Amino acid sequence: MVTSYQNYVDGEWREPSNGEYFETTDPASPNDVVAEYPRSVAKDANAAVEAAVSAQGDWAATPAPERGAILRGAGSILADRKEELTQLLIREEGKTHAEASGEVQRAVDIFYYFAEKTRDLGGSVKSSSKPQSGLYTVDVPVGVAALITPWNYPIAIPAWKLAPALATGNTVVLNPASLAPGVAVELFEAFDEAGLPPGVANVVTGPGSTVGDAIISHDGVDAVSFTGSSKVGEAVYSKATDNGKRVQTELGGKNPTIVTPSADLEEAADLVSAGAFGVTGQACTACSRAIVHTDIYDEFVDAVIARANEIDVGPGENSDMGPQISENELEGTLEYVDIAEKDGANLEIGGGRPDGERLREGYFVEPTIFSDVDPDHRIAQEEVFGPLLAVIEAESFEDALTVANGTSYGLSASIVTDSHTEAERFVREVEAGVAKVNDKTTGLELHVPFGGFKQSSSETWREQGEAGIGFYTIEKTVYNSF
């Protein structure tokens, strides 16, 4: 039996006003329908925003530790249901069990973290130049936040937007991506069970072009947080700022790993492989470019090919790398394989769909590596949201750094080196919001800022940690001469 979900608006589970639903399917077995969701329209989105507007004053007036207790309760509910949510994530998004389980745990940890942060919310006390006067700041919520989230981290990204927004007294409306909305909707089951007041958090499923646009455009929305493609993000940013809203966008990446002659080659191959092929390359921080010094180039290519050869591709429950989420995403990756070959890059491994009975129907693709890639090739410049690695040769550290910075993106970057001088210079000069030394480009701590440079971000507000709190609050300065 197919699970049927509804929108959560003003503390109630509601059918869409038009009565229409859409289905999600298992990318490992596309004939397997997972669930159905409301194909909502602007009327549903507007109702959610109006509920959030009505609830905002009372929620902001709720003591912050009380808000935190509800977040902690929701996190505990998620923890109790971890395996159930993991299975839903595997079936809708295609992640491996380890990846899906880790993502659900990440959501739990995010709610626990921001639950504790509610005890520290407030402002700062300053010394007044007037006698017997108080001078201090207080942080107040922005108001109503519209949250638009992608399919590739369908519970972690909603969690890291929802938790700081709610912790700081804002109310929210979430529009999750339609390819894998299940675990995001389940968050609201947890909110409901944890006792979140009606209207504080609302979720409306359906096309971003309809639901997301209506939420962003609504006069009742004060802030917009979007994660997704650069093209859509630029349109969201333009529309929201034209209406005077506070906006943060986190977008695409073309993330490099520089490998220097002093690097441990085995470690470098492990890190690049994990960054390129983990989560089937469907991460905005995935390593898509390995920039390798001439002296070790051939040896590195052999080592990373060996890693790719060891990857077992198959359904997420029992493999090393799952399918891509949809036929469109699979076709996009395969199209870039053709483009790379036409540009003159050398296909070392992969480049097609894997053989095997269990893989015939799903959206599976082989881990793919190209060598002899020119920095100007399209696979070295454009985001490929799949397990495709371009290996680029560099004659020097300076050359490698120039290549690393030579794209319109700047999200995550890493270097593998045994030289402190190179590491320090890399951290200082690389044009990326996340810089890693002897680590893979993927993987983020939840208590530090996350965001990119250039077309990887609006470069306005960062997410996560204290920075996440900052986006959802406005500082008010108080002069008290009472």
Side-chain angles (χ1 to χ4, degrees):
M1 183 176 178
V2 174
T3 302
S4 182
Y5 287 94
Q6 295 178 320
N7 293 325
Y8 186 72
V9 177
D10 204 13
E12 299 176 343
W13 293 102
R14 298 183 183 179
E15 295 184 357
S17 59
N18 60 2
E20 295 184 6
Y21 287 77
F22 66 91
E23 295 177 337
T24 59
T25 59
D26 184 345
S29 180
N31 291 324
D32 179 12
V33 176
V34 179
E36 65 174 17
Y37 301 87
R39 192 185 299 277
S40 307
V41 293
K43 181 178 180 180
D44 305 304
N46 292 337
V49 174
E50 288 156 13
V53 171
S54 296
Q56 202 277 316
D58 287 345
W59 182 243
T62 301
E66 187 176 330
R67 298 196 296 261
I70 293 175
L71 292 180
R72 190 178 305 106
S76 296
I77 292 165
L78 296 177
D80 291 342
R81 298 179 57 203
K82 181 177 177 180
E83 183 57 28
E84 175 189 344
L85 296 173
T86 295
Q87 292 298 324
L88 177 57
L89 205 164
I90 291 170
R91 291 189 66 209
E92 278 199 337
E93 203 275 347
K95 280 186 168 72
T96 67
H97 190 281
E99 292 164 348
S101 177
E103 184 179 344
V104 174
Q105 184 61 51
R106 172 67 170 230
V108 172
D109 293 344
I110 287 168
F111 279 106
Y112 286 164
Y113 171 80
F114 283 104
E116 291 306 309
K117 292 298 290 182
T118 58
R119 299 180 182 276
D120 295 328
L121 297 177
S124 59
V125 178
K126 304 294 182 180
S127 296
S128 174
S129 59
K130 297 171 62 177
Q132 298 180 328
S133 295
L135 183 62
Y136 57 94
T137 67
V138 293
D139 295 329
V140 298
V142 173
V144 176
L147 312 178
I148 315 295
T149 57
W151 52 261
N152 61 325
Y153 285 93
I155 191 169
I157 293 179
W160 81 45
K161 294 180 187 294
L162 286 162
L166 295 174
T168 50
N170 298 273
T171 54
V172 299
V173 180
L174 172 68
N175 176 219
S178 294
L179 283 173
V183 282
V185 178
E186 291 286 355
L187 286 175
F188 292 78
E189 290 273 11
F191 287 149
D192 191 63
E193 188 176 337
L196 192 72
V200 172
N202 309 270
V203 61
V204 182
T205 62
S209 58
T210 302
V211 176
D213 186 70
I215 296 170
I216 292 167
S217 303
H218 199 291
D219 289 341
V221 167
D222 303 290
V224 176
S225 179
F226 171 89
T227 300
S229 72
S230 295
K231 182 178 180 180
V232 177
E234 289 168 4
V236 167
Y237 182 83
S238 177
K239 177 166 288 190
T241 53
D242 284 349
N243 291 325
K245 304 180 192 306
R246 179 178 289 202
V247 188
Q248 66 178 183
T249 64
E250 295 305 336
L251 311 172
K254 195 64 188 170
N255 312 295
T257 295
I258 293 175
V259 183
T260 72
S262 66
D264 180 318
L265 268 178
E266 296 303 310
E267 178 187 27
D270 287 340
L271 292 173
V272 169
S273 177
F277 306 129
V279 295
T280 320
Q282 297 177 135
C284 56
T285 56
C287 176
S288 59
R289 296 179 295 153
I291 305 168
V292 185
H293 193 277
T294 301
D295 291 351
I296 56 171
Y297 184 85
D298 291 339
E299 190 177 354
F300 173 83
V301 169
D302 290 341
V304 79
I305 289 171
R307 301 302 188 279
N309 262 321
E310 295 170 354
I311 295 173
D312 177 38
V313 178
E317 186 59 45
N318 51 12
S319 65
D320 300 324
M321 191 179 89
Q324 298 212 247
I325 193 171
S326 69
E327 187 174 10
N328 283 341
E329 292 296 331
L330 172 62
E331 290 177 349
T333 299
L334 296 177
E335 181 180 355
Y336 271 105
V337 171
D338 292 339
I339 289 169
E341 291 184 308
K342 289 176 182 177
D343 281 346
N346 181 42
L347 178 62
E348 295 282 359
I349 188 173
R353 304 185 67 169
D355 297 326
E357 184 70 27
R358 67 174 184 157
L359 309 179
R360 189 165 297 161
E361 294 181 354
Y363 305 129
F364 297 101
V365 64
E366 298 168 317
T368 299
I369 299 172
F370 279 95
S371 64
D372 300 329
V373 177
D374 188 278
D376 292 330
H377 284 172
R378 287 180 61 183
I379 61 164
Q381 290 292 321
E382 300 174 13
E383 185 174 38
V384 183
F385 221 58
L388 190 156
L389 175 68
V391 189
I392 303 169
E393 190 170 355
E395 296 181 355
S396 64
F397 173 80
E398 288 74 15
D399 181 27
L401 194 57
T402 298
V403 172
N405 290 336
T407 75
S408 58
Y409 295 102
L411 187 54
S412 180
S414 70
I415 187 170
V416 188
T417 183
D418 197 37
S419 166
H420 286 286
T421 300
E422 289 176 341
E424 290 298 322
R425 186 173 169 192
F426 167 81
V427 168
R428 186 172 60 250
E429 297 182 24
V430 74
E431 296 169 358
V434 176
K436 295 188 169 188
V437 177
N438 295 329
D439 200 355
K440 60 183 180 179
T441 57
T442 52
L444 304 168
E445 297 275 3
L446 61 85
H447 59 293
V448 290
F450 171 65
F453 291 176
K454 301 187 281 190
Q455 289 185 15
S456 290
S457 169
S458 56
E459 297 186 342
T460 47
W461 304 84
R462 294 310 198 210
E463 296 195 273
Q464 305 196 113
E466 294 284 352
I469 290 173
F471 173 70
Y472 294 105
T473 56
I474 300 175
E475 195 170 46
K476 179 187 294 185
T477 303
V478 180
Y479 295 77
N480 188 350
S481 299
F482 185 78

